Amino acid sequence: MSTDPLLRVRDLRVSYPTPAGPAQVVHGVDLDLAPGERVALVGESGSGKSVTARAVLRLDPDARLSGRIELEGVDLLKLPPRRMREIRGGRVGLVFQDPLASLNPVMTIGRQVMQPLLIRGVPRKVARRRAVDLLERLGVRDAEHRADDYPHQFSGGMRQRVVIAIAVIAEPALLIADEPTTALDVRVQARVLELLRELADERGMSILLITHDLGIVAGFAQRAVVMRHGRPVETGTVEQIYTAPRDPYTKALLAAVPRIGGDVTRPLAVIGAAGEEKEGS
């Protein structure tokens, strides 16, 4: 694994305009992601993890961004819109948590998977074959025929596999997965994560996983960045985070996770305003 980061984020700050003035929601995030590495941004809802991930691709036109976001040494904040469109779906793929909302309901699955290649000038027949092969690789049975179906004809787990196919067909160096398994049952969730890990290993692809689920982090990521109120409060390997957490908020997050075989009569931990652990009901 290269020692030079594929993605380097320094002092990233994100704010949005409001009638009362700019509201800052991300405060000075630093993040490195090496080629082939899997890193998780972890935190409760509202911690700023998804906003941080979306800022990498400048997806929110109303957001005001400052700092540096370097991909392969290029500062994305300085690129014109046309170059950013080339990077989205090219060097960087994106998987959202709601596959049905991510797919066009009136366009066939095959056309949607082909789209990143067609935009880049790949001949239609070649793009079609690559799309079908990738869908088969991701577990879509009879992909040759199912490529002509529409999103509503697929189950939630299958739709998520289609979204993954769209994100990786152009062989990106980085995949950003924003809560990719939230709406899936546990069995399908495990298979989707396994597919992501297999693709990353085969292609040397880095993954930035956005999640609130510490169980997923333990089984998938190599490093984790814990966020609270738009700030990173702790960064380390997954082993360090789980076995020797340093920040009170990280400790409280871990204590709030129900454990099989634990005392079911003991109240779950609740995270206080300052990040300390308290007993709840």
Side-chain angles (χ1 to χ4, degrees):
M1 187 177 293
S2 171
T3 57
D4 294 328
L6 171 75
L7 177 70
R8 183 195 299 270
V9 177
R10 289 293 179 271
D11 195 29
L12 174 63
R13 298 173 186 272
V14 183
S15 63
Y16 291 89
T18 73
Q24 191 165 317
V25 295
V26 171
H27 312 266
V29 169
D30 291 340
L31 173 68
D32 284 344
L33 189 61
E37 188 180 25
R38 300 187 300 274
V39 174
L41 277 181
V42 192
E44 61 189 313
S45 296
S47 62
K49 56 189 188 296
S50 291
V51 174
T52 298
R54 293 177 65 86
V56 171
L57 286 177
R58 292 167 48 187
L59 290 176
D60 297 327
D62 292 334
R64 301 295 180 263
L65 311 178
S66 65
R68 292 184 67 85
I69 304 174
E70 295 181 359
L71 179 71
E72 299 174 315
V74 176
D75 189 350
L76 301 185
L77 296 185
K78 296 181 178 179
L79 293 184
R82 180 184 59 80
R83 285 284 293 120
M84 281 304 305
R85 288 194 293 270
E86 293 172 357
I87 286 172
R88 300 186 195 111
R91 297 305 291 158
V92 183
L94 182 62
V95 176
F96 289 113
Q97 62 177 292
D98 185 352
L100 189 57
S102 302
L103 296 170
N104 187 330
V106 297
M107 185 182 291
T108 65
I109 291 298
R111 177 62 186 269
Q112 294 187 64
V113 177
M114 293 162 54
Q115 201 69 13
L117 299 181
L118 296 176
I119 290 172
R120 287 161 180 80
V122 176
R124 182 174 298 275
K125 287 186 177 180
V126 176
R128 167 83 181 194
R129 173 43 50 197
R130 287 176 59 179
V132 169
D133 289 347
L134 181 55
L135 288 170
E136 288 179 347
R137 169 72 182 79
L138 291 172
V140 177
R141 295 181 181 178
D142 193 19
E144 183 68 52
H145 294 97
R146 299 234 54 194
D148 296 322
D149 288 343
Y150 292 86
H152 72 273
Q153 296 173 278
F154 283 69
S155 67
M158 284 297 158
R159 284 194 291 262
Q160 193 62 297
R161 295 173 196 226
V162 171
V163 171
I164 292 171
I166 295 170
V168 304
I169 193 166
E171 300 189 354
L174 169 64
L175 179 68
I176 299 176
D178 190 355
E179 301 277 10
T181 60
T182 296
L184 307 178
D185 66 48
V186 175
R187 180 181 58 83
V188 177
Q189 182 181 100
R191 181 54 185 152
V192 167
L193 291 172
E194 182 182 353
L195 287 170
L196 288 177
R197 186 162 44 240
E198 290 174 359
L199 288 169
D201 291 343
E202 289 173 7
R203 303 181 178 202
M205 180 176 65
S206 302
I207 297 181
L208 181 62
L209 175 69
I210 316 303
T211 184
H212 65 276
D213 191 327
L214 289 166
I216 288 177
V217 174
F220 182 83
Q222 296 159 309
R223 287 194 304 115
V225 179
V226 181
M227 293 192 65
R228 170 74 163 169
H229 294 325
R231 292 180 172 86
V233 297
E234 184 162 356
T235 302
T237 66
V238 168
E239 182 178 2
Q240 290 169 347
I241 295 291
Y242 277 79
T243 60
R246 298 182 301 274
D247 190 87
Y249 176 67
T250 307
K251 295 176 183 178
L253 274 181
L254 292 168
V257 177
R259 287 172 171 76
I260 296 176
D263 182 2
V264 296
T265 65
R266 182 180 182 274
L268 293 176
V270 177
I271 300 170
E276 73 277 5
E277 176 188 348
K278 300 178 180 179
E279 284 207 341
S281 56

